[in-house]
Amino acid sequence: MRSIWNGAISFGLVSIPIKLVNATESHAISFRQIHTEDNGRIRYRKVCELEEREVGQSEIGKAYEDADGTIIPITDEDLSHLPIPTARTIEIVAFVPADRIDPLQMGSAYYLAAGGAPAAKPYALLREAFRRSDKVAIAKFALRGRERLGMLRVVGEAIVMHGLLWPDEVRTPEGVAPDTDVTIRDKELDLADALMDTLGEVDLDDLHDEYREALEEVIAAKASGEAPPEAPAPAAGGQVLDLMAALENSVRAARESRGAPAAGGEAEVRPLPRGRTAPKETGGKKSTSTTKRTAAAKKPAPARKSTSKATPGTKKTTAAKSTTAKNTTAKSTTAKNTAAKSTARTGATGNPAKSTAAATKKTTTATTAKAKATPAKKTPSRKRSA
């Protein structure tokens, strides 16, 4: 890189030879002025008004025009003998914390390169002193015909100087801020904070000049005889009537652009309606009463099941009675047959009436006893069913 100034850094009694190199460059696309009728170049020629001829750069010098129009020539030799110590020296006057510097004062940046091998050690000493103190240096230097203010700091392994404006060159912001009284609510501040957190940080290396890229596309299209690309339709704009809605939409859009869920509930807290609150508070009681009713309804169930079970028992008892009656009838028939046989036998022997009566009595007594015994065994099952 070509140096634009040679001098030294004055650090107390230490002098460090350095070269001043531009630390920034412009990538802006420059245009030429042309005559629109024939595309001829429009040039500015440096013409001496006394001789009315064009002069070259080597014939051009500096001069100061007095109030009465007198021209006072000033040469480079005159400037080199200025009665100030900063003519060829960057003089460090103080070391201060970096936050003491107002960004409004910062201007062009320059790299300070060591001027030869003898400057290597004092250069490295100053660099390490910057790192240990965690401070920046305030310096004065002369460049391009005037004394300037600068700030020195470390970037990587190099020392950088930022040109600073003098404090009286920074204008006060009078009449810039709105003079009307406004009220900022806490909710609006919360949404603004949420928007700032959502946007987060950015890697400055990822940022680039999109305007210059679009301009290069237009130039390339014109050079190849093609139609220039059309500009995208501008976004529909309008007056923002609801600041809260604008903030909420901004937070939502920022989250979606970064692939995060919308999570609208985090940006706004809405109270629940009163009609829904009461049932939630008494919900436990309602479920308890329902449980009680269910339990009460379930208690009679065993009795009903017992009753249903007892019904077959009753049917069995009835069937048993029928069976007993049938048996009794059969036995009565048997007894009659027996009595008839006994009568026949007795008729042969004598006194048939007594024999028949005795047989009938015995048969009836046995049948009655068996009939009583059978219901007596089934009676307990009827009582249990009740």
Side-chain angles (χ1 to χ4, degrees):
M1 291 184 288
R2 186 177 63 88
S3 64
I4 61 174
W5 184 88
N6 294 333
I9 299 176
S10 175
F11 178 39
L13 299 178
V14 178
S15 180
I16 309 171
I18 56 97
K19 298 178 180 181
L20 199 67
V21 180
N22 279 321
T24 62
E25 59 185 3
S26 175
H27 293 163
I29 297 177
S30 60
F31 296 99
R32 302 291 187 183
Q33 289 185 339
I34 61 170
H35 187 202
T36 57
E37 292 185 1
D38 54 13
N39 291 342
R41 285 280 304 275
I42 304 298
R43 297 179 183 273
Y44 292 93
R45 301 179 184 274
K46 297 179 179 180
V47 178
C48 175
E49 63 181 13
L50 297 179
E51 298 181 5
E52 293 184 354
R53 70 177 180 87
E54 186 179 353
V55 297
Q57 185 63 35
S58 61
E59 300 178 86
I60 299 174
K62 300 181 181 71
Y64 176 77
E65 184 177 3
D66 203 354
D68 58 358
T70 304
I71 299 298
I72 304 172
I74 303 294
T75 65
D76 291 339
E77 185 178 357
D78 296 333
L79 295 176
S80 63
H81 291 88
L82 289 176
I84 56 174
T86 58
R88 284 290 172 181
T89 304
I90 299 175
E91 182 183 6
I92 296 177
V93 297
F95 290 89
V96 299
D99 57 5
R100 288 275 302 275
I101 306 301
D102 189 346
L104 284 174
Q105 294 182 253
M106 300 184 68
S108 300
Y110 308 93
Y111 288 129
L112 303 183
K121 185 170 183 179
Y123 186 96
L125 174 64
L126 179 60
R127 181 188 63 201
E128 298 306 318
F130 276 126
R131 288 176 175 172
R132 176 177 291 186
S133 64
D134 198 20
K135 293 182 179 180
V136 298
I138 302 300
K140 297 169 68 176
F141 65 102
L143 180 65
R144 295 171 182 163
R146 59 188 293 256
E147 187 176 50
R148 303 168 184 266
L149 192 64
M151 179 191 74
L152 277 66
R153 67 187 183 97
V154 175
V155 175
E157 298 297 322
I159 298 176
V160 178
M161 181 175 68
H162 296 271
L164 298 179
L165 297 176
W166 296 97
D168 60 356
E169 293 179 323
V170 179
R171 301 171 64 181
T172 58
E174 293 181 359
V176 177
D179 55 357
T180 57
D181 295 334
V182 296
T183 301
I184 304 298
R185 295 180 293 172
D186 292 339
K187 184 62 177 178
E188 295 170 339
L189 285 175
D190 293 341
L191 285 173
D193 292 340
L195 179 58
M196 294 171 63
D197 294 339
T198 304
L199 292 177
E201 299 180 357
V202 66
D203 187 356
L204 295 180
D205 294 335
D206 296 338
L207 302 179
H208 57 279
D209 188 354
E210 296 181 2
Y211 180 85
R212 179 175 61 86
E213 294 177 354
L215 188 56
E216 290 175 348
E217 292 180 4
V218 172
I219 295 174
K222 295 281 288 185
S224 60
E226 300 177 357
E230 296 183 359
Q239 186 177 3
V240 178
L241 301 179
D242 190 349
L243 180 59
M244 290 288 292
L247 287 171
E248 291 174 358
N249 293 335
S250 299
V251 172
R252 188 179 300 106
R255 285 174 175 157
E256 292 176 354
S257 65
R258 293 179 177 268
E266 296 179 6
E268 183 177 2
V269 178
R270 300 180 183 275
L272 291 175
R274 294 183 179 180
R276 297 181 181 179
T277 306
K280 290 186 176 180
E281 294 179 355
T282 59
K285 295 181 179 180
K286 283 191 174 183
S287 61
T288 306
S289 61
T290 305
T291 306
K292 290 181 179 180
R293 292 175 182 176
T294 305
K298 289 182 179 180
K299 286 182 179 180
R304 292 176 183 175
K305 290 181 180 180
S306 173
T307 305
S308 62
K309 290 180 180 179
T311 304
T314 307
K315 293 180 180 179
K316 290 180 180 180
T317 305
T318 307
K321 288 182 179 180
S322 302
T323 304
T324 305
K326 291 179 180 179
N327 294 337
T328 305
T329 305
K331 290 179 179 180
S332 300
T333 305
T334 305
K336 289 179 179 179
N337 294 334
T338 305
K341 291 180 180 180
S342 301
T343 304
R345 291 174 183 175
T346 307
T349 55
N351 200 4
K354 289 183 179 180
S355 299
T356 302
T360 302
K361 186 176 182 180
K362 288 180 182 181
T363 302
T364 303
T365 303
T367 301
T368 304
K370 287 182 180 181
K372 288 182 179 181
T374 302
K377 292 181 181 180
K378 300 298 180 178
T379 302
S381 61
R382 288 184 182 179
K383 292 184 178 180
R384 281 197 296 268
S385 62

